């Protein structure tokens, strides 16, 4: 079994239960949430096709929706994130290119690259979640503010979790 595949399975097995059991109840001032499960999607291999990534995102989002009682909101946002991720990775590749079998993690490409990679994707995911939840644009500023706070909180937890789970690449 490939070492990257073992890392991905381990991350899914750890972060999805953490998301639905612990981070579901972690809300900052009723505004910001932590979507740590996004690390599972962000760390999928660069070589993975967009369709395969979208299918993985669909099932991941549905698993979260099942416990959040959100009727497909996280699934839709996750599928959209994986659609954008493919194009975002192509536009923002490192100068030397992506290494074969290297996951797009902080330990492989550095903090500044990872923040530039993850921040816009997490923000778009959060925007989709909160705008679909709102149902219209009447709550535009409130939804945008919630998405911004959620993005910051999620990114902080995702970066911290990588320091604990994957301290450095051997």
């Amino acid at each position: 079994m490939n070492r990257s595949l073992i890392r991905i399975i381990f991350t899914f097995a750890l972060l999805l239960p953490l998301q639905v059991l612990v981070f579901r109840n972690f809300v900052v001032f009723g505004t910001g949430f932590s979507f740590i499960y996004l690390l599972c999607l962000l760390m999928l291999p660069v070589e993975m096709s967009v369709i395969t990534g979208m299918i993985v995102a669909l099932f991941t989002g549905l698993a979260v929706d099942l416990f959040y009682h959100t009727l497909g909101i996280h699934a839709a946002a996750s599928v959209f994130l994986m659609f954008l991720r493919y194009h975002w990775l192509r536009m923002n590749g490192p100068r030397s290119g992506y290494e074969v079998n290297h996951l797009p993690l902080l330990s492989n490409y550095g903090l500044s690259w990872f923040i530039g990679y993850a921040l816009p994707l997490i923000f778009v995911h959060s925007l989709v979640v909160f705008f679909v939840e709102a149902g219209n644009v009447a709550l535009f500023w409130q939804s945008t503010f919630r998405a911004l706070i959620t993005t910051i909180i999620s990114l902080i937890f995702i970066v911290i979790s990588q320091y604990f789970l994957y301290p450095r690449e051997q």
Side-chain angles (χ1 to χ4, degrees):
M1 211 184 219
N2 189 348
R3 188 170 163 196
S4 296
L5 183 61
I6 293 170
R7 279 184 157 190
I8 292 168
I9 292 170
F10 171 75
T11 304
F12 271 85
L14 179 69
L15 292 184
L16 279 177
L18 269 176
Q19 178 68 49
V20 298
L21 298 173
V22 176
F23 287 101
R24 177 179 183 215
N25 300 318
F26 183 79
V27 182
V28 178
F29 301 119
T31 302
F33 299 87
S34 177
F35 297 144
I36 197 167
Y37 77 95
L38 294 178
L39 176 58
C40 299
L41 301 176
L42 293 172
M43 74 176 288
L44 290 174
V46 176
E47 302 88 20
M48 180 179 281
S49 73
V50 69
I51 298 298
T52 306
M54 290 170 73
I55 291 170
V56 170
L58 175 68
F59 288 113
T60 303
L62 286 175
V64 173
D65 283 327
L66 181 66
F67 291 95
Y68 274 60
H69 306 290
T70 49
L71 299 173
I73 292 175
H74 289 274
S78 297
V79 169
F80 188 61
L81 177 138
M82 289 306 288
F83 174 75
L84 291 179
R85 176 184 177 265
Y86 174 79
H87 301 293
W88 189 244
L89 281 170
R90 299 295 174 254
M91 289 186 340
N92 294 317
R95 289 185 182 147
S96 61
Y98 295 109
E99 298 288 328
V100 177
N101 293 329
H102 268 203
L103 299 176
L105 293 172
L106 189 141
S107 61
N108 291 332
Y109 295 105
L111 181 63
S112 62
W113 178 88
F114 185 79
I115 289 175
Y117 159 65
L119 185 70
L121 293 174
I122 295 170
F123 183 63
V124 167
H125 176 275
S126 300
L127 280 175
V128 171
V129 166
F130 293 120
F131 276 109
V132 171
E133 182 182 54
N136 61 23
V137 292
L139 301 172
F140 177 81
W141 293 112
Q142 182 183 6
S143 297
T144 304
F145 179 72
R146 290 177 74 192
L148 182 63
I149 299 300
T150 297
T151 299
I152 293 167
I153 293 168
S154 297
L155 185 65
I156 289 169
F157 277 107
I158 286 171
V159 167
I160 290 171
S161 68
Q162 284 188 67
Y163 280 118
F164 284 118
L165 295 174
Y166 311 112
R168 62 185 179 96
E169 185 69 21
Q170 276 84 14

